[in-house]
């Protein structure tokens, strides 16, 4: 059983103020930047190919989201991924609308092959990226979270990423030491899908938590992890994977708790958007420690059938 220490994860994020580079959907850039500031991180929306790679070397982590990708953003993503991967820095892929149209799908699959630290999407996007679904209707999911958990586990195994599936109840899947671990996170509110940017900004917050993952367990931005992985040290690899798993769960728990708190001061999607930013900022480590998070595993007979 995995013992998540969400209180400490939040404390590290607040103390670390990680600098997060966002190559992301133009529709959500301002909202995502405000969300990162609210949780204690620093946003940087550098997405031009001329300097994206260089800045990835400065940033503590990178978000790649092809929601409204331009040629500039596609080239910027390639450069930033190369630098982040070489430096052992965490980067998160948000496969927006994968499966909907051919070119977008091919570019997202190419990015996924570069072994992101985490992949975060809705159920239909995760199924499509795993090759067992057709994708959603634009940014909307047409699949249920639990139904695509085997696909998420397959994707975690093939990419090495922590795979997060967003929905009414979020799920985070990690393949560690031959076992497919699944964490469910309950919370949020029905207004969240009605506010543009809640999903995309969650990817950015996942990067922030990953960037401050526990260094004592050789988190993804640790030089020890890079060298130990190259040497094939299974103990270090497992510790790093557990740290990444906890970080992505912490990001989802932060959103779930804030999503519930925000509803108290909201009368509709507009006021909820403002209240949600306030709630993200107000969430404490003690509140995260009380988040409704459960852990289990997927059995072999729940694997995806060819």
């Amino acid at each position: 059983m995995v013992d998540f220490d969400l209180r400490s994860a939040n404390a590290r994020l607040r103390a670390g103020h990680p600098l997060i580079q966002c190559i992301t959907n133009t529709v959500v850039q301002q909202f995502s930047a405000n969300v990162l500031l609210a949780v204690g991180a620093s946003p940087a929306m550098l997405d031009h190919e001329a300097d994206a790679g260089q800045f990835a070397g400065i940033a503590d982590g990178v978000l790649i989201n092809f929601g409204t990708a331009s040629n500039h953003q596609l080239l910027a993503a390639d450069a930033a991924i190369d630098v982040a991967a070489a430096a052992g820095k965490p980067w998160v892929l948000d496969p927006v609308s994968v499966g909907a149209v051919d070119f977008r799908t091919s570019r997202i699959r190419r990015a996924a092959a570069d072994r992101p630290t985490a992949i975060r999407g809705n159920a239909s996007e995760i199924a499509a990226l795993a090759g067992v679904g057709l994708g959603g209707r634009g940014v909307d999911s047409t699949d249920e979270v639990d139904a695509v958990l085997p696909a998420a586990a397959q994707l975690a195994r093939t990419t090495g990423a922590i795979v997060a599936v967003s929905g009414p109840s979020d799920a985070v899947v990690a393949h560690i030491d031959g076992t497919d671990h699944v964490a469910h996170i309950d919370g949020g509110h029905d207004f969240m899908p009605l506010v543009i940017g809640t999903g995309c900004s969650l990817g950015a917050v996942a990067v922030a938590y990953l960037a401050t993952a526990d260094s004592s367990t050789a988190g993804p931005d640790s030089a020890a992890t890079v060298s130990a992985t190259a040497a094939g040290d299974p103990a270090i690899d497992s510790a790093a994977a557990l740290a990444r798993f906890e970080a992505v769960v912490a990001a989802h728990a932060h959103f779930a708790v804030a999503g519930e708190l925000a509803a108290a001061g909201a009368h509709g999607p507009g006021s909820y958007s403002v209240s949600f930013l306030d709630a993200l900022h107000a969430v404490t480590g003690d509140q995260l420690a009380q988040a409704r998070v459960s852990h289990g595993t997927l059995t072999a007979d729940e694997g995806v059938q060819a």
Side-chain angles (χ1 to χ4, degrees):
M1 183 66 67
V2 177
D3 184 17
F4 298 116
D5 185 359
L6 303 185
R7 181 186 288 106
S8 294
N10 181 253
R12 287 192 299 271
L13 171 58
R14 297 288 191 184
H17 304 295
L19 176 63
I20 307 304
Q21 180 181 10
C22 297
I23 299 174
T24 191
N25 191 334
T26 58
V27 178
V28 304
Q29 286 178 348
Q30 179 174 335
F31 188 79
S32 295
N34 284 333
V35 164
L36 283 170
L37 289 169
V39 302
S42 296
M45 321 309 277
L46 277 79
D47 62 357
H48 193 282
E49 72 268 25
D51 53 20
Q54 181 182 2
F55 194 82
I58 299 170
D60 296 306
V62 179
L63 171 67
I64 303 295
N65 176 319
F66 291 139
T68 56
S70 64
N71 288 334
H72 285 306
Q73 283 192 327
L74 293 171
L75 293 170
D78 290 341
I81 289 170
D82 286 346
V83 171
K89 295 185 178 185
W91 69 278
V92 171
L93 174 64
D94 190 332
V96 178
S97 300
V98 63
V101 289
D102 292 343
F103 178 71
R104 169 184 297 276
T105 298
S106 68
R107 290 292 285 148
I108 291 172
R109 291 194 184 283
R110 174 175 160 183
D114 288 331
R115 301 186 69 80
T117 312
I119 299 170
R120 190 224 66 84
N122 64 39
S124 295
E125 290 164 347
I126 295 303
L129 190 55
V132 297
L134 298 177
R137 181 172 58 88
V139 297
D140 297 329
S141 178
T142 57
D143 293 292
E144 299 296 328
V145 171
D146 285 346
V148 304
L149 289 182
Q154 175 178 291
L155 191 59
R157 290 191 295 268
T158 57
T159 65
I162 307 300
V163 178
V165 191
S166 296
S169 175
D170 296 337
V172 179
V173 178
H175 185 72
I176 304 172
D177 289 339
T179 299
D180 295 320
H181 295 266
V182 182
H184 283 90
I185 305 97
D186 292 320
H189 191 269
D190 291 343
F191 283 151
M192 292 183 79
L194 303 179
V195 177
I196 290 294
T198 50
C200 294
S201 59
L202 176 53
V205 173
V207 182
Y209 271 98
L210 284 163
T212 52
D214 190 356
S215 59
S216 69
T217 54
D221 56 344
S222 167
T225 299
V226 177
S227 60
T229 299
D233 187 332
I236 295 296
D237 288 350
S238 297
L242 286 168
R244 294 193 292 267
F245 189 24
E246 179 181 85
V248 178
V249 169
H252 285 72
H254 198 141
F255 261 52
V257 171
E260 289 186 333
L261 293 175
H267 305 288
S271 55
Y272 184 83
S273 177
V274 174
S275 186
F276 181 60
L277 287 174
D278 290 343
L280 285 170
H281 180 70
V283 166
T284 66
D286 288 341
Q287 288 172 312
L288 280 191
Q290 299 301 315
R292 300 197 302 278
V293 177
S294 60
H295 171 263
T297 59
L298 283 177
T299 60
D301 60 2
E302 292 174 300
V304 178
Q305 299 300 312

